[in-house]
Amino acid sequence: MRNMNFLKIIVASFLLGISGKALANEDASALAAIIQLERRDAKAAMINDIDTLVSLWTDDGVLLIPASPPIVGISAIRSILETQKQRSAAVRTLSYDEDWTERHINGNEAWEWGSISVTLQLPDGRQVIQKAFMLRILSRQPDGSWKFARAIGTPAPKTP
């Protein structure tokens, strides 16, 4: 908690033009790279581009989803994504939106939580909206890019 408050002070100082510019600039660069990761994720998810989606994960990535054992490692993540793609072959994705409520960057690690909403068109033409709440832990790579290291998702309650 103390580190988070310190980070907020540094970022606020940067925005107000006070001290701490080097750290705030580093955080701004990291934030830009994280947003780029999120955009690549959303674009690839929209078209079910498995190769790109898998490339966004660390080799030891872990995905936790309800009623499933942990999905551990890049090959297991690829397998679950390919299975989901096969199951939804007749479904068209109309929109895919990520809304991150909170992000924290701490050196080479970061985390974010928020929601992902997807509008799908079913084979019978009906449209459905699915929403999930997500928590993701990110890892900065040696080239300055970021990848997903851990993620957990749970379906949002259905709205009437």
Side-chain angles (χ1 to χ4, degrees):
M1 186 66 161
R2 185 172 181 261
N3 287 339
M4 287 184 203
N5 288 334
F6 177 73
L7 183 58
K8 288 177 186 174
I9 291 168
I10 295 298
V11 172
S13 297
F14 172 75
L15 294 174
L16 294 172
I18 306 174
S19 63
K21 290 183 181 176
L23 181 56
N25 283 333
E26 180 180 311
D27 286 343
S29 173
L31 179 59
I34 289 169
I35 290 170
Q36 182 179 29
L37 170 69
E38 294 165 355
R39 287 182 180 152
R40 288 183 65 212
D41 177 54
K43 184 178 177 183
M46 181 79 179
I47 60 172
N48 251 337
D49 178 351
I50 302 301
D51 289 334
T52 298
L53 290 169
V54 170
S55 77
L56 303 178
W57 285 83
T58 60
D59 289 341
D60 65 343
V62 177
L63 175 60
L64 303 174
I65 55 178
S68 175
I71 301 158
V72 181
I74 203 79
S75 58
I77 291 169
R78 176 180 290 280
S79 178
I80 192 78
L81 291 173
E82 287 174 349
T83 298
Q84 289 175 348
K85 183 176 183 174
Q86 290 170 358
R87 287 183 184 159
S88 64
V91 176
R92 191 169 142 223
T93 303
L94 301 177
S95 69
Y96 183 97
D97 300 301
E98 297 184 2
D99 182 17
W100 300 105
T101 304
E102 189 174 6
R103 276 187 204 98
H104 290 278
I105 302 167
N106 187 12
N108 289 328
E109 294 182 339
W111 63 266
E112 60 189 4
W113 77 267
S115 63
I116 295 175
S117 298
V118 182
T119 303
L120 304 170
Q121 184 173 27
L122 303 178
D124 65 5
R126 286 184 305 126
Q127 291 183 11
V128 296
I129 298 173
Q130 295 180 340
K131 184 175 181 176
F133 296 113
M134 300 290 299
L135 173 65
R136 300 195 293 203
I137 299 172
L138 314 173
S139 176
R140 187 187 330 236
Q141 303 304 293
D143 67 357
S145 67
W146 291 78
K147 289 189 175 190
F148 305 123
R150 307 289 184 265
I152 184 169
T154 187
K158 295 188 180 189
T159 55

